[in-house]
């Protein structure tokens, strides 16, 4: 066995040296380091060779991935998001500067009054002990009922898992269900966490880049043609952050069919379902056993900082995700679970109405400013660009100094000319913020 | 590049086949799958070869690790812990069965009354928004002061990060600071999470097995001799779970020196510091820049289910860990941070006194039962074995049916003849539980 290991090692050296040379040449020519069609050829070759030498292609493709990841690391480094801007803005505020937060998806509403009541009584109720990693059974039962009533699902508590925010749900699903050899499809522009979670686990991201010109609708052929045997998951997020897009039902049906045909997991992040103006249907309504839906109290109940959300999926998938949650967290904070449980049924339609009014006002202002955007079907944002393309990363840094934070497009994919504006403040402040932006365009 | 990749592939096939054959032989002979001295020889050979062919040994050793992990996966599977017993016990309770929980480290005390007050006022105080991933600055400042006053540390808020329980702190430290090629030293018996977090990230665990006969003190030569260039971290946990051991100061000094000399991170889990009867000193008192101390409100303030703890380390390390926490969680639940912040200074010495009384009573009972154990210096447990060795995994399953949950020794390492009893219930119930155990020994 030594001889074989050492022989592989000497090949690894040669391979690493070639990768470094390629990296240098690419850098000089300003080319992107990861070269997908090149990688695909290599992947095909590996599969062919495995057939010829009668070797398990799964182990071989995992090995190829080890080699490719090594190459990418030797060749390059990283980038920027709206969370980075938010953290910079928070720092400036701590220094006493006033910042209008148009970068963050954080509603300014108060959580329902029930939240106050629950927090006041949770100590005496005794919810504060270690509990099941999946969450309080009574909470999970209520969440299942809620999903059945609101998302046309057919689930019970075994299909539900409480998480400390939808973000942790996304992290669990991507980290647990996919291996480093696997690939994930992300339709962009997209919330950066999907990509970051994948990269953090050595998973390959295939981006489907949608365009404003196509109303942010993904091309079905493009999705189909990027699927290979390593593709294990597609991420959907409608109503979409940052565009506010809701897919036409038939298009969504077709995407779900592609996923089914290719046995892909569908990770559907539906945290904006509460803020939808058009006709929206949950992925749960398809009753597809490989779907994972993330939900949250952050936006609907304005409980961002409480960190409480949940996952709905098949019992088997929930079992798998539970293991990592148990390893990381033991359980989700019980006082917070109790509080969210009691507020699940609270009427939060007022929040939706207010958000709509604000979006309508923002649309008006953006039109006056001659910004280009697609009227959002839901969510809490406008994703816009100027007629003459500008670098919005620079713009966002500049605007911070003038007291406004915006989310640069680059955080959502290859959209450096776009920026995202949140409708999470009262109309007066929104106008104030937009007025400052106007002076800098 | 194709030719080289394909050539490596065919070697990988040969290697995998050899590994499978070895696995079969080992299984027939009942040998352990991972063979450390064999691996060490291979490691030496790789390093030597790297020098000869002038190739970076870090990449090569990482590659070796990929091969070794593959071999271990081809050859074997997994085991059992006290968390598993706890979850089974919880399930039985949901079916209406009464269980005396001697398996879980969950104090039965109420959290300080201040917790109730804080929870009642947090809604109006407005702590419920997205915040810095490191935690509320005012909380971190107070935690730093607390560490300076209680742990002889010299830190400020930049050295502190709030986590949703010490468990998440352990997960962050191991996952972030170590790469899959790296090795971690765990002194056993040990809380299983250290090992599990390492394995979850493909990190190699080197166990130092301590013995009751040596009062659970690790052998310094054994520690030194298992350190190689891949060794990056040693985990300490004193007062210890499960043994209650506190190291003599000079022995602890020597271990810290070994860590310093070898540039190792020290991950020191000090969540039982509040329950120490002997002379205990925090790793923070050594002012070593590569130390990471985890702390928690779970045991000291009886806030297990609240999920709140913190890390103290160098500013650089905190920055690194913050990235993964931001990716996974955005921030730790703000209402819970606010609550813990206000209770940090609460007098919890009464908890320590009660725990001591119970441990003293448990020791008495264990002596009567002729169990073998070392009198604990702290923590909340007794780790004992019967004079004639028995399989405690079987015992713990059997006892569940008789209404008592205990933690089998196997969860803490290769200690199948030991079991852990928690002193987290009132003396009357402890006696009741021990009486049931007596009938089954």
């Amino acid at each position: 066995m030594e001889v074989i290991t050492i022989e592989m090692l000497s090949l690894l050296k040669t391979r690493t040296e070639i990768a470094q040379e390629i990296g240098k040449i690419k850098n000089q020519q300003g080319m992107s380091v990861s070269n997908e069609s090149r990688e695909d050829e290599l992947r095909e070759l590996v599969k062919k060779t495995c057939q010829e030498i009668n070797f398990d292609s799964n182990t071989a493709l995992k090995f190829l991935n080890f080699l490719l990841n090594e190459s990418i690391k030797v060749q390059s480094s990283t980038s920027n998001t709206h969370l980075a801007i938010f953290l910079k803005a928070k720092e400036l505020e701590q220094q006493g500067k006033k910042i209008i937060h148009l970068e963050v998806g954080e509603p300014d509403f108060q959580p329902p009054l029930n939240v106050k009541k629950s927090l006041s009584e949770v100590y005496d109720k005794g919810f504060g002990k270690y509990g099941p990693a999946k969450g309080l059974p009574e909470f999970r039962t209520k969440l299942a009922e809620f999903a059945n009533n609101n998302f046309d699902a057919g689930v019970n508590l075994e299909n539900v898992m409480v998480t400390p925010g939808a973000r942790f749900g996304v992290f669990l699903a991507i980290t647990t269900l996919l291996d480093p050899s696997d690939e994930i499809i992300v339709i962009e522009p997209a919330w950066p966490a999907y990509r970051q979670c994948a990269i953090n686990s050595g998973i390959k991201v295939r981006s489907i880049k949608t365009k404003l010109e196509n109303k942010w609708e993904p091309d079905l052929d493009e999705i189909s043609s990027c699927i290979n045997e390593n593709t294990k998951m597609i991420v959907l997020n409608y109503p979409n952050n940052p565009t506010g897009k809701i897919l036409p039902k038939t298009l969504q049906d077709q995407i779900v069919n592609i996923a089914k045909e290719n046995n892909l997991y569908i990770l559907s992040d539906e945290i904006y379902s509460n803020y939808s103006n058009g006709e929206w249907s949950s992925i749960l309504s398809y009753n597809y056993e490989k779907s994972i839906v993330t939900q949250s109290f952050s936006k609907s109940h304005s409980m961002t900082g409480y960190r409480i959300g949940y996952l709905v999926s098949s019992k088997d998938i929930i079992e798998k995700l539970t293991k990592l949650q148990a390893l990381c967290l033991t359980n989700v904070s019980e006082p917070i679970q109790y509080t969210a449980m009691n507020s699940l049924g609270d009427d939060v339609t007022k929040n939706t109405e207010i958000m709509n009014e604000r979006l309508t006002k923002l649309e008006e202002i953006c039109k006056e400013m001659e910004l280009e955007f697609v009227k959002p079907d839901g969510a809490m944002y406008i994703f816009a660009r100027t007629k003459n393309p500008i670098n919005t990363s620079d713009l966002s840094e500049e605007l911070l100094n003038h007291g406004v934070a915006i989310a640069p497009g680059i955080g959502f994919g290859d959209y450096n000319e776009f920026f995202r504006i949140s409708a999470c403040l009262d109309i007066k402040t929104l106008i104030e913020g937009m007025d400052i932006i106007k002076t800098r365009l």
Side-chain angles (χ1 to χ4, degrees), chain A residues 48-303:
Chain A
K48 207 170 129 258
T49 310
C50 282
Q51 277 186 330
E52 283 166 14
I53 65 173
N54 190 24
F55 181 49
D56 172 44
S57 67
N58 211 19
T59 303
L61 289 169
K62 199 161 157 189
F63 174 64
L64 176 66
N65 190 69
F66 171 85
L67 295 177
L68 292 174
N69 277 350
E70 267 316 299
S71 302
I72 289 173
K73 269 184 207 155
V74 174
Q75 294 174 34
S76 76
S77 79
T78 49
S79 85
N80 208 11
T81 71
H82 68 284
L83 189 61
I85 294 288
F86 170 69
L87 293 176
K88 273 186 203 169
K90 281 271 166 187
E91 263 175 44
L92 287 172
E93 282 178 328
Q94 241 138 59
Q95 292 163 26
K97 202 162 161 65
K98 192 197 148 199
I99 303 278
I100 298 176
H101 287 280
L102 301 183
E103 88 288 21
V104 66
E106 175 159 64
D108 59 332
F109 316 130
Q110 277 285 80
L113 259 180
N114 235 336
V115 168
K116 181 176 173 175
K117 180 170 168 288
S118 298
L119 285 169
S120 303
E121 69 192 22
V122 68
Y123 183 95
D124 288 330
K125 296 271 183 183
F127 288 89
K129 295 291 181 185
Y130 287 134
K134 284 179 202 150
L136 295 168
E138 51 272 50
F139 186 22
R140 290 164 59 217
T141 302
K142 285 191 179 177
L143 289 168
E145 280 166 17
F146 186 84
N148 293 343
N149 294 335
N150 292 274
F151 308 138
D152 196 15
V155 296
N156 62 48
L157 88 163
E158 301 290 357
N159 302 107
V160 178
M161 176 181 176
V162 181
T163 58
R167 184 184 271 273
F168 200 75
V170 166
F171 170 76
L172 282 181
I174 293 178
T175 307
T176 307
L177 299 175
L178 276 64
D179 286 325
S181 62
D182 294 338
E183 300 192 2
I184 187 171
I185 300 174
V186 176
I187 300 168
E188 291 183 344
W191 187 47
Y194 314 127
R195 169 179 291 272
Q196 289 165 344
C197 284
I199 290 173
N200 182 60
S201 288
I203 292 152
K204 181 161 176 56
V205 180
R206 298 271 180 176
S207 308
I208 302 294
K209 298 201 188 305
T210 63
K211 289 179 184 157
L212 181 143
E213 290 76 9
N214 299 335
K215 294 185 182 170
W216 305 117
E217 292 178 10
D219 182 83
L220 291 173
D221 290 339
E222 211 180 316
I223 294 177
S224 291
S225 70
C226 83
I227 295 175
N228 60 48
E229 29 177 275
N230 287 39
T231 314
K232 298 287 163 61
M233 183 181 274
I234 182 166
V235 181
L236 302 180
N237 167 227
Y238 300 101
N240 181 262
N241 170 13
T243 63
K245 178 74 182 176
I246 294 176
L247 293 185
K249 181 73 168 69
T250 49
L251 181 57
Q252 184 165 294
D253 292 350
Q254 286 164 312
I255 295 176
V256 171
N257 280 338
I258 293 176
K260 283 181 180 174
E261 283 159 14
N262 292 280
N263 198 27
L264 305 186
Y265 292 108
I266 301 178
L267 174 59
S268 183
D269 188 5
E270 305 185 355
I271 65 163
Y272 297 102
S273 59
N274 206 56
Y275 296 102
S276 94
N277 313 327
E279 222 179 284
W280 170 83
S281 55
S282 168
I283 293 300
L284 291 174
S285 66
Y286 294 88
N287 195 23
Y288 175 45
E289 73 279 4
K290 291 191 79 173
S291 68
I292 305 100
V293 167
T294 49
Q295 269 289 355
S296 171
F297 286 74
S298 291
K299 317 296 182 183
S300 59
H301 289 64
S302 200
M303 290 170 71

Side-chain angles (χ1 to χ4, degrees), chain A residues 20-33 35 75:
Chain A
Q20 276 165 340
E21 278 311 306
I22 294 174
K24 272 187 211 154
I25 296 165
K26 279 189 185 167
N27 270 340
Q28 284 163 9
Q29 301 181 341
M31 287 161 66
S32 151
V33 163
N35 185 333
Q75 294 174 34

